Amino acid sequence: MWAVLECNCTTLRPPSFQELGDYLVYENKMTSSYEVGFGPLGAITRDSYYELYFQCRYYGMSVATLPIQHYANEPPLPVVAPGPLRVELRIANGQCTTKGCVEARAAYTSYYTDADYPVTKVLREPVYVEVRILDRSDPNIVLTLGRCWATSSPNPFSLPEWDLLVNGCPYKDDRYLTQLVPVEGSSAVPFPTHYKRFVLKMFTFVDQTSMAPLHNQVYIHCSTAVCHPSATDSCEPSCGREMTVQCTRDGQFILVVAKDTTLPRLSLDSVSLLGENGPCGPIDSNAAFAIYQFPVAACGTRVMELGDYLVYENKMTSSYEVGFGPLGAITRDSYYE
């Protein structure tokens, strides 16, 4: 096998010579240099490092060939160190211009500039917010939002304030929940994980003593971090929108369904399992959660064999109210499955 090394940074040292019994041994070492960047709190390199030892052994006056097998070096381990992170928060102002246009998608096609502020919005009008990482091209990092809030002054620590997102999820005590907007990749958004978008309904602060609306400006702030996803951490907040499912060792299903699973909020009374017979109702519930527990073979559960596994599978759905008119039917309820 022939290996060709094309590198302008390899170096050879003068060969060394030694006698080992009846053998004359010539050996050498080939290495590569690599560029190191030094910062105030650490040093990094993005270059590969190459090192090769090789020998030639001669016995008496005869020449013997020593085969060498070349193995590729493992990639260098990542080095984690604090570094600058530039993020930008901006408000989108794109408009729908065609029939059937999705307003939430069209909004993020253009943005207000610094010269446009302050922007005037009508109460309850949607405000389309985007937070993005600047000057980064690593597809393996994910921008996460911790808390986003609004104040009546540029000082993020001033009062009054109002939460928009808490731990990356909509503030649940707001009657008009902030909506998280999924970000899709495109030519304008080559790294969708570097973006976070959400929509809030415009509001104004109120004096808590006189209950009079304040005529102040509203400033939006967000705390951000960068996450590296793994097999156990997707870097995405659950926001109570996922059903918690557990299969116990004694053959029981345990399911916890949150009212905030959907937007609008789910009516827990409308949730039902696939089967109609047996103990299929919740064993406990409150205003926010419903807890179900039943044997894996009950409530319409299906069983199948997949290789060495027995798989028990069930389905939970919600009912929804439908309004019928002379020329169509509508619903304003969320559907859960």
Side-chain angles (χ1 to χ4, degrees):
M1 180 180 69
W2 292 89
V4 179
L5 175 67
E6 295 181 356
C7 181
N8 295 327
C9 55
T10 56
T11 58
L12 284 170
R13 65 180 185 179
S16 62
F17 165 76
Q18 58 180 321
E19 294 185 12
L20 291 177
D22 297 329
Y23 289 88
L24 299 178
V25 180
Y26 295 86
E27 67 178 17
N28 209 322
K29 177 181 177 183
M30 178 178 285
T31 61
S32 66
S33 60
Y34 50 95
E35 184 180 8
V36 177
F38 294 91
L41 296 175
I44 67 167
T45 183
R46 290 187 173 89
D47 297 336
S48 297
Y49 175 67
Y50 179 78
E51 185 174 281
L52 175 68
Y53 286 92
F54 51 94
Q55 291 182 342
C56 288
R57 297 191 176 198
Y58 298 91
Y59 179 74
M61 296 302 296
S62 64
V63 177
T65 302
L66 179 66
I68 298 175
Q69 187 172 5
H70 175 264
Y71 294 93
N73 292 328
E74 293 293 329
L77 295 175
V79 178
V80 179
L85 175 66
R86 296 183 60 226
V87 295
E88 178 185 47
L89 187 152
R90 54 184 183 171
I91 298 177
N93 63 356
Q95 301 290 328
C96 276
T97 57
T98 58
K99 185 177 181 180
C101 169
V102 179
E103 187 174 355
R105 291 182 179 177
Y108 291 99
T109 57
S110 64
Y111 301 85
Y112 292 106
T113 65
D114 291 342
D116 296 325
Y117 292 100
V119 175
T120 301
K121 293 286 183 180
V122 178
L123 292 177
R124 299 189 186 179
E125 181 181 353
V127 178
Y128 298 93
V129 182
E130 178 182 275
V131 184
R132 61 173 181 163
I133 301 175
L134 298 177
D135 305 325
R136 286 290 183 270
S137 58
D138 185 353
N140 299 314
I141 60 175
V142 177
L143 174 68
T144 62
L145 299 181
R147 178 172 172 248
C148 291
W149 69 101
T151 62
S152 59
S153 78
N155 182 1
F157 305 107
S158 64
L159 297 177
E161 67 174 36
W162 185 258
D163 281 329
L164 304 173
L165 298 176
V166 178
N167 294 325
C169 299
Y171 176 47
K172 295 182 179 181
D173 290 334
D174 193 335
R175 184 179 175 186
Y176 295 88
L177 286 178
T178 301
Q179 297 180 22
L180 300 174
V181 179
V183 182
E184 299 177 353
S186 65
S187 58
V189 184
F191 305 105
T193 59
H194 294 190
Y195 291 73
K196 283 290 182 287
R197 292 171 175 172
F198 59 89
V199 184
L200 62 101
K201 295 296 181 67
M202 187 59 196
F203 61 88
T204 186
F205 286 101
V206 175
D207 185 281
Q208 291 183 292
T209 302
S210 66
M211 303 303 292
L214 301 177
H215 300 285
N216 294 335
Q217 296 179 357
V218 175
Y219 296 83
I220 301 173
H221 318 272
C222 284
S223 62
T224 62
V226 165
C227 175
H228 194 284
S230 65
T232 58
D233 184 6
S234 67
C235 300
E236 296 295 337
S238 63
C239 299
R241 305 198 191 286
E242 297 180 359
M243 177 193 293
T244 301
V245 181
Q246 182 179 0
C247 300
T248 65
R249 291 181 178 271
D250 60 350
Q252 298 278 323
F253 270 130
I254 299 178
L255 301 90
V256 180
V257 185
K259 186 174 184 177
D260 293 328
T261 297
T262 62
L263 285 175
R265 291 176 176 176
L266 183 67
S267 172
L268 295 177
D269 294 334
S270 71
V271 177
S272 63
L273 287 158
L274 182 65
E276 297 180 354
N277 301 321
C280 298
I283 62 171
D284 192 12
S285 63
N286 55 32
F289 299 95
I291 303 174
Y292 293 77
Q293 182 172 351
F294 56 92
V296 293
C299 300
T301 301
R302 297 184 302 172
V303 63
M304 65 185 78
E305 292 188 23
L306 289 178
D308 296 331
Y309 290 89
L310 289 178
V311 179
Y312 294 86
E313 183 179 87
N314 209 315
K315 180 180 180 182
M316 176 174 280
T317 60
S318 67
S319 59
Y320 49 97
E321 183 179 350
V322 177
F324 295 93
L327 297 176
I330 66 168
T331 185
R332 289 188 172 91
D333 296 336
S334 295
Y335 176 66
Y336 179 71
E337 180 175 290

